Amino acid sequence: MQKTSVSTNSSLEMMIRQQIIERGITDARVIEAIRATPRELFFPRDGRAAAYSDRPSPIGHGQMISQPYMVALMTARLEVQPNHRVLEIGTGSGYQTAILSKLAGEVYSIERLKPLLDSAWERLMDLAARNVHFRHSDGTLGWKEAAPFDRILITAGAPTLPDALLLEQLKDGGIAVLPVGPQEGQILVKVTRHGDVLETTDLCACRFVKLIGQNGWADKQD
Ligand code: SAH
């Protein structure tokens, strides 16, 4: 037992140092939230050996848990404060949700695939994350009853910027981070809302699974 926890701990510390801090993400609150979240719990049992690897990994149903660096980058650029209400679209494994729950006041997380949502819910309950609200639905429609949000994070690739959603459910002055672009490769963008204007800054190239829904990609097998 002792041995396992020591090796997990050193894998975690190595991930934080080599994949996150040495690549320029140094925000202390973000690093602490990552340090306090056992990433292996968010993997299927037979996939846990890859928990601290420098890449995205499969979580079933054709979906992926994001690469640690990508989670750190998105979280840092979102600039989450303790009083914030955050909308997350694409719960997936719930790993990013757990990190947001340590930084924000309330987290509202939407997932379209019920089995993934159920597993994420169980993990977050085990970790006693009491400020997370889950919904099984199409996140491209947002969460009207809980809007407006200080922050919106979309962790699946949108074909185009979902302006209508952002103008309807992001607070004035609020920040959204999301991947936008074709399926083969997207750009991670940071969007700041100034009244009716959405100011967009490109962060980096990335590759996410598709955001599928009414204001995303069509729901078809390919
Ligand atoms: N942050 C997650 C990423 C999961 S992958 C993690 O690191 O585990 C993206 C997730 O978005 C998938 O689980 C996918 O099912 C979900 N998704 C795609 N389109 C969606 C939509 N319209 N509404 C809600 N979830 C969606």
Side-chain angles (χ1 to χ4, degrees), residues 28-126:
R29 290 183 67 236
V30 173
I31 303 287
E32 262 328 294
I34 290 173
R35 180 171 280 123
T37 307
R39 186 165 157 94
E40 70 280 2
L41 297 186
F42 296 85
F43 281 64
R45 279 192 190 284
D46 60 358
R48 290 187 176 173
Y52 296 90
S53 304
D54 188 13
R55 55 177 163 80
S57 298
I59 52 171
H61 307 273
Q63 307 305 318
M64 309 289 277
I65 180 171
S66 299
Q67 178 192 20
Y69 172 73
M70 193 51 73
V71 173
L73 177 67
M74 293 190 297
T75 310
R77 295 300 174 264
L78 210 56
E79 299 171 32
V80 181
Q81 299 306 320
N83 62 335
H84 280 170
R85 295 155 55 78
V86 180
L87 174 65
E88 179 192 38
I89 302 173
T91 316
S93 65
Y95 177 65
Q96 173 79 69
T97 321
I99 289 170
L100 291 173
S101 80
K102 295 188 189 300
L103 297 168
E106 300 289 326
V107 179
Y108 295 81
S109 188
I110 309 177
E111 171 58 54
R112 64 182 283 274
L113 297 176
K114 186 73 164 57
L116 289 180
L117 187 71
D118 290 345
S119 308
W121 183 85
E122 273 180 33
R123 290 170 181 136
L124 274 284
M125 288 305 110
D126 287 348

Side-chain angles (χ1 to χ4, degrees), residues 193-206:
R193 177 175 178 188
H194 305 285
D196 290 340
V197 176
L198 297 173
E199 179 202 354
T200 302
T201 312
D202 292 354
L203 298 177
C204 63
C206 59

